[in-house]
PDB file of all heavy atoms in Angstrom:
ATOM      1  N   TYR G  25      -2.384   6.722  22.069  1.00 93.00           N
ATOM      2  CA  TYR G  25      -2.611   6.199  23.410  1.00 93.00           C
ATOM      3  C   TYR G  25      -3.148   4.778  23.296  1.00 93.00           C
ATOM      4  O   TYR G  25      -4.021   4.493  22.497  1.00 93.00           O
ATOM      5  CB  TYR G  25      -3.613   7.068  24.171  1.00 93.00           C
ATOM      6  CG  TYR G  25      -4.058   6.383  25.447  1.00 93.00           C
ATOM      7  CD1 TYR G  25      -3.203   6.317  26.547  1.00 93.00           C
ATOM      8  CD2 TYR G  25      -5.297   5.744  25.526  1.00 93.00           C
ATOM      9  CE1 TYR G  25      -3.575   5.645  27.697  1.00 93.00           C
ATOM     10  CE2 TYR G  25      -5.676   5.071  26.675  1.00 93.00           C
ATOM     11  CZ  TYR G  25      -4.814   5.021  27.752  1.00 93.00           C
ATOM     12  OH  TYR G  25      -5.185   4.344  28.877  1.00 93.00           O
ATOM     13  N   TYR G  36      -0.614  -2.049  13.116  1.00 97.00           N
ATOM     14  CA  TYR G  36      -0.302  -1.021  12.125  1.00 97.00           C
ATOM     15  C   TYR G  36       1.040  -1.278  11.463  1.00 97.00           C
ATOM     16  O   TYR G  36       1.965  -1.796  12.087  1.00 97.00           O
ATOM     17  CB  TYR G  36      -0.221   0.344  12.810  1.00 97.00           C
ATOM     18  CG  TYR G  36      -1.481   0.781  13.501  1.00 97.00           C
ATOM     19  CD1 TYR G  36      -1.450   1.180  14.838  1.00 97.00           C
ATOM     20  CD2 TYR G  36      -2.695   0.833  12.830  1.00 97.00           C
ATOM     21  CE1 TYR G  36      -2.599   1.614  15.493  1.00 97.00           C
ATOM     22  CE2 TYR G  36      -3.842   1.264  13.472  1.00 97.00           C
ATOM     23  CZ  TYR G  36      -3.793   1.650  14.803  1.00 97.00           C
ATOM     24  OH  TYR G  36      -4.913   2.078  15.446  1.00 97.00           O
ATOM     25  N   TYR G  40       2.169   3.621   8.571  1.00 98.00           N
ATOM     26  CA  TYR G  40       0.907   4.193   9.066  1.00 98.00           C
ATOM     27  C   TYR G  40       1.117   4.826  10.442  1.00 98.00           C
ATOM     28  O   TYR G  40       0.625   5.914  10.722  1.00 98.00           O
ATOM     29  CB  TYR G  40      -0.145   3.086   9.135  1.00 98.00           C
ATOM     30  CG  TYR G  40      -1.551   3.558   9.476  1.00 98.00           C
ATOM     31  CD1 TYR G  40      -2.326   4.242   8.539  1.00 98.00           C
ATOM     32  CD2 TYR G  40      -2.110   3.299  10.724  1.00 98.00           C
ATOM     33  CE1 TYR G  40      -3.620   4.650   8.843  1.00 98.00           C
ATOM     34  CE2 TYR G  40      -3.409   3.703  11.040  1.00 98.00           C
ATOM     35  CZ  TYR G  40      -4.157   4.370  10.090  1.00 98.00           C
ATOM     36  OH  TYR G  40      -5.443   4.768  10.395  1.00 98.00           O
ATOM     37  N   ARG G  48      -1.550  13.335  14.572  1.00 96.00           N
ATOM     38  CA  ARG G  48      -2.023  13.718  15.902  1.00 96.00           C
ATOM     39  C   ARG G  48      -1.299  14.970  16.394  1.00 96.00           C
ATOM     40  O   ARG G  48      -1.907  15.848  17.010  1.00 96.00           O
ATOM     41  CB  ARG G  48      -1.843  12.556  16.885  1.00 96.00           C
ATOM     42  CG  ARG G  48      -2.946  11.505  16.796  1.00 96.00           C
ATOM     43  CD  ARG G  48      -2.768  10.391  17.812  1.00 96.00           C
ATOM     44  NE  ARG G  48      -1.642   9.523  17.466  1.00 96.00           N
ATOM     45  CZ  ARG G  48      -1.741   8.442  16.692  1.00 96.00           C
ATOM     46  NH1 ARG G  48      -2.907   8.051  16.231  1.00 96.00           N
ATOM     47  NH2 ARG G  48      -0.666   7.732  16.398  1.00 96.00           N
ATOM     48  N   GLU G  83     -10.970  21.072   6.171  1.00 97.00           N
ATOM     49  CA  GLU G  83     -10.841  22.344   6.882  1.00 97.00           C
ATOM     50  C   GLU G  83      -9.544  23.060   6.496  1.00 97.00           C
ATOM     51  O   GLU G  83      -9.507  24.290   6.408  1.00 97.00           O
ATOM     52  CB  GLU G  83     -10.898  22.100   8.390  1.00 97.00           C
ATOM     53  CG  GLU G  83     -12.317  21.742   8.837  1.00 97.00           C
ATOM     54  CD  GLU G  83     -12.377  21.072  10.205  1.00 97.00           C
ATOM     55  OE1 GLU G  83     -11.364  21.084  10.923  1.00 97.00           O
ATOM     56  OE2 GLU G  83     -13.450  20.523  10.534  1.00 97.00           O
ATOM     57  N   TYR G 144     -23.439   1.829  -5.052  1.00 97.00           N
ATOM     58  CA  TYR G 144     -24.471   2.612  -4.354  1.00 97.00           C
ATOM     59  C   TYR G 144     -24.032   4.062  -4.132  1.00 97.00           C
ATOM     60  O   TYR G 144     -24.806   4.993  -4.340  1.00 97.00           O
ATOM     61  CB  TYR G 144     -24.782   1.945  -3.014  1.00 97.00           C
ATOM     62  CG  TYR G 144     -26.122   2.345  -2.445  1.00 97.00           C
ATOM     63  CD1 TYR G 144     -27.277   1.673  -2.825  1.00 97.00           C
ATOM     64  CD2 TYR G 144     -26.246   3.402  -1.553  1.00 97.00           C
ATOM     65  CE1 TYR G 144     -28.516   2.036  -2.325  1.00 97.00           C
ATOM     66  CE2 TYR G 144     -27.480   3.775  -1.047  1.00 97.00           C
ATOM     67  CZ  TYR G 144     -28.607   3.084  -1.436  1.00 97.00           C
ATOM     68  OH  TYR G 144     -29.841   3.459  -0.945  1.00 97.00           O
ATOM     69  N   ASN G 229     -40.824  -4.133 -10.909  1.00 98.00           N
ATOM     70  CA  ASN G 229     -40.986  -3.151  -9.836  1.00 98.00           C
ATOM     71  C   ASN G 229     -41.227  -1.755 -10.406  1.00 98.00           C
ATOM     72  O   ASN G 229     -41.979  -0.961  -9.842  1.00 98.00           O
ATOM     73  CB  ASN G 229     -39.747  -3.132  -8.934  1.00 98.00           C
ATOM     74  CG  ASN G 229     -39.688  -4.350  -8.035  1.00 98.00           C
ATOM     75  OD1 ASN G 229     -40.585  -5.193  -8.053  1.00 98.00           O
ATOM     76  ND2 ASN G 229     -38.625  -4.461  -7.248  1.00 98.00           N
ATOM     77  N   ASP G 236     -48.646   2.524  -9.080  1.00 97.00           N
ATOM     78  CA  ASP G 236     -48.918   2.996  -7.722  1.00 97.00           C
ATOM     79  C   ASP G 236     -48.746   4.507  -7.613  1.00 97.00           C
ATOM     80  O   ASP G 236     -49.597   5.210  -7.071  1.00 97.00           O
ATOM     81  CB  ASP G 236     -47.977   2.316  -6.711  1.00 97.00           C
ATOM     82  CG  ASP G 236     -48.304   0.832  -6.540  1.00 97.00           C
ATOM     83  OD1 ASP G 236     -49.403   0.417  -6.960  1.00 97.00           O
ATOM     84  OD2 ASP G 236     -47.452   0.097  -5.998  1.00 97.00           O
ATOM     85  N   ARG G 316     -40.899 -18.946  -1.824  1.00 97.00           N
ATOM     86  CA  ARG G 316     -41.831 -18.083  -1.085  1.00 97.00           C
ATOM     87  C   ARG G 316     -43.148 -18.800  -0.762  1.00 97.00           C
ATOM     88  O   ARG G 316     -44.189 -18.168  -0.620  1.00 97.00           O
ATOM     89  CB  ARG G 316     -42.108 -16.801  -1.879  1.00 97.00           C
ATOM     90  CG  ARG G 316     -41.248 -15.636  -1.456  1.00 97.00           C
ATOM     91  CD  ARG G 316     -41.283 -14.503  -2.432  1.00 97.00           C
ATOM     92  NE  ARG G 316     -40.541 -14.880  -3.625  1.00 97.00           N
ATOM     93  CZ  ARG G 316     -39.215 -14.840  -3.692  1.00 97.00           C
ATOM     94  NH1 ARG G 316     -38.515 -14.408  -2.678  1.00 97.00           N
ATOM     95  NH2 ARG G 316     -38.588 -15.235  -4.782  1.00 97.00           N
TER      96      ARG G 316
ATOM     97  N   ASP N  56      -9.821   1.049  11.471  1.00 96.00           N
ATOM     98  CA  ASP N  56      -9.228   1.861  12.535  1.00 96.00           C
ATOM     99  C   ASP N  56     -10.233   2.838  13.131  1.00 96.00           C
ATOM    100  O   ASP N  56     -10.250   3.072  14.336  1.00 96.00           O
ATOM    101  CB  ASP N  56      -8.033   2.635  11.956  1.00 96.00           C
ATOM    102  CG  ASP N  56      -7.015   2.989  13.023  1.00 96.00           C
ATOM    103  OD1 ASP N  56      -7.089   2.418  14.131  1.00 96.00           O
ATOM    104  OD2 ASP N  56      -6.142   3.832  12.745  1.00 96.00           O
ATOM    105  N   GLU N  94     -13.230   3.484  28.526  1.00 96.00           N
ATOM    106  CA  GLU N  94     -12.168   4.424  28.210  1.00 96.00           C
ATOM    107  C   GLU N  94     -12.508   5.220  26.943  1.00 96.00           C
ATOM    108  O   GLU N  94     -11.955   6.295  26.712  1.00 96.00           O
ATOM    109  CB  GLU N  94     -10.874   3.645  28.001  1.00 96.00           C
ATOM    110  CG  GLU N  94      -9.647   4.457  28.237  1.00 96.00           C
ATOM    111  CD  GLU N  94      -8.429   3.538  28.315  1.00 96.00           C
ATOM    112  OE1 GLU N  94      -8.233   2.729  27.389  1.00 96.00           O
ATOM    113  OE2 GLU N  94      -7.711   3.626  29.302  1.00 96.00           O
ATOM    114  N   THR N 109      -8.956   4.567  20.403  1.00 95.00           N
ATOM    115  CA  THR N 109      -8.052   5.683  20.702  1.00 95.00           C
ATOM    116  C   THR N 109      -7.241   6.065  19.466  1.00 95.00           C
ATOM    117  O   THR N 109      -6.159   6.601  19.592  1.00 95.00           O
ATOM    118  CB  THR N 109      -7.096   5.303  21.845  1.00 95.00           C
ATOM    119  OG1 THR N 109      -6.434   4.084  21.475  1.00 95.00           O
ATOM    120  CG2 THR N 109      -7.848   5.092  23.140  1.00 95.00           C
ATOM    121  N   TYR N 126     -11.469  16.271  16.964  1.00 88.00           N
ATOM    122  CA  TYR N 126     -11.173  15.161  16.054  1.00 88.00           C
ATOM    123  C   TYR N 126     -11.061  13.839  16.807  1.00 88.00           C
ATOM    124  O   TYR N 126     -10.692  12.827  16.256  1.00 88.00           O
ATOM    125  CB  TYR N 126      -9.891  15.458  15.272  1.00 88.00           C
ATOM    126  CG  TYR N 126     -10.019  16.784  14.584  1.00 88.00           C
ATOM    127  CD1 TYR N 126      -9.535  17.943  15.179  1.00 88.00           C
ATOM    128  CD2 TYR N 126     -10.732  16.893  13.392  1.00 88.00           C
ATOM    129  CE1 TYR N 126      -9.718  19.175  14.582  1.00 88.00           C
ATOM    130  CE2 TYR N 126     -10.920  18.116  12.793  1.00 88.00           C
ATOM    131  CZ  TYR N 126     -10.419  19.259  13.391  1.00 88.00           C
ATOM    132  OH  TYR N 126     -10.628  20.473  12.803  1.00 88.00           O
ATOM    133  N   GLU N 216     -40.216   1.113  -4.654  1.00 98.00           N
ATOM    134  CA  GLU N 216     -40.145  -0.350  -4.548  1.00 98.00           C
ATOM    135  C   GLU N 216     -40.730  -0.861  -3.237  1.00 98.00           C
ATOM    136  O   GLU N 216     -40.984  -2.055  -3.102  1.00 98.00           O
ATOM    137  CB  GLU N 216     -38.693  -0.818  -4.665  1.00 98.00           C
ATOM    138  CG  GLU N 216     -38.130  -0.655  -6.068  1.00 98.00           C
ATOM    139  CD  GLU N 216     -36.835  -1.440  -6.233  1.00 98.00           C
ATOM    140  OE1 GLU N 216     -35.768  -0.909  -5.856  1.00 98.00           O
ATOM    141  OE2 GLU N 216     -36.886  -2.571  -6.720  1.00 98.00           O
ATOM    142  N   GLU N 226     -31.724   4.526  -3.914  1.00 98.00           N
ATOM    143  CA  GLU N 226     -32.320   3.213  -4.180  1.00 98.00           C
ATOM    144  C   GLU N 226     -32.629   2.441  -2.887  1.00 98.00           C
ATOM    145  O   GLU N 226     -31.878   2.516  -1.913  1.00 98.00           O
ATOM    146  CB  GLU N 226     -31.305   2.413  -5.018  1.00 98.00           C
ATOM    147  CG  GLU N 226     -31.783   1.051  -5.476  1.00 98.00           C
ATOM    148  CD  GLU N 226     -30.654   0.282  -6.187  1.00 98.00           C
ATOM    149  OE1 GLU N 226     -29.551   0.832  -6.388  1.00 98.00           O
ATOM    150  OE2 GLU N 226     -30.898  -0.891  -6.543  1.00 98.00           O
ATOM    151  N   LYS N 257     -46.604  -3.251   1.129  1.00 97.00           N
ATOM    152  CA  LYS N 257     -45.647  -3.138   0.026  1.00 97.00           C
ATOM    153  C   LYS N 257     -44.211  -3.385   0.513  1.00 97.00           C
ATOM    154  O   LYS N 257     -43.404  -4.000  -0.187  1.00 97.00           O
ATOM    155  CB  LYS N 257     -45.765  -1.748  -0.618  1.00 97.00           C
ATOM    156  CG  LYS N 257     -44.995  -1.639  -1.907  1.00 97.00           C
ATOM    157  CD  LYS N 257     -45.507  -0.569  -2.851  1.00 97.00           C
ATOM    158  CE  LYS N 257     -44.748  -0.717  -4.169  1.00 97.00           C
ATOM    159  NZ  LYS N 257     -45.280   0.034  -5.264  1.00 97.00           N
ATOM    160  N   GLN N 266     -35.706 -12.626  -0.753  1.00 98.00           N
ATOM    161  CA  GLN N 266     -35.181 -13.977  -0.472  1.00 98.00           C
ATOM    162  C   GLN N 266     -35.064 -14.728  -1.795  1.00 98.00           C
ATOM    163  O   GLN N 266     -36.044 -14.887  -2.523  1.00 98.00           O
ATOM    164  CB  GLN N 266     -36.067 -14.738   0.523  1.00 98.00           C
ATOM    165  CG  GLN N 266     -35.398 -16.039   0.977  1.00 98.00           C
ATOM    166  CD  GLN N 266     -36.032 -16.682   2.201  1.00 98.00           C
ATOM    167  OE1 GLN N 266     -37.206 -16.446   2.485  1.00 98.00           O
ATOM    168  NE2 GLN N 266     -35.266 -17.491   2.923  1.00 98.00           N
TER     169      GLN N 266
END
Side-chain angles (χ1 to χ4, degrees):
Chain G
Y25 169 74
Y36 300 127
Y40 187 74
R48 279 182 289 271
E83 288 162 12
Y144 201 86
N229 286 358
D236 290 345
R316 264 166 288 281
Chain N
D56 206 14
E94 204 167 53
T109 54
Y126 306 94
E216 290 194 276
E226 184 185 356
K257 190 156 187 168
Q266 189 166 24

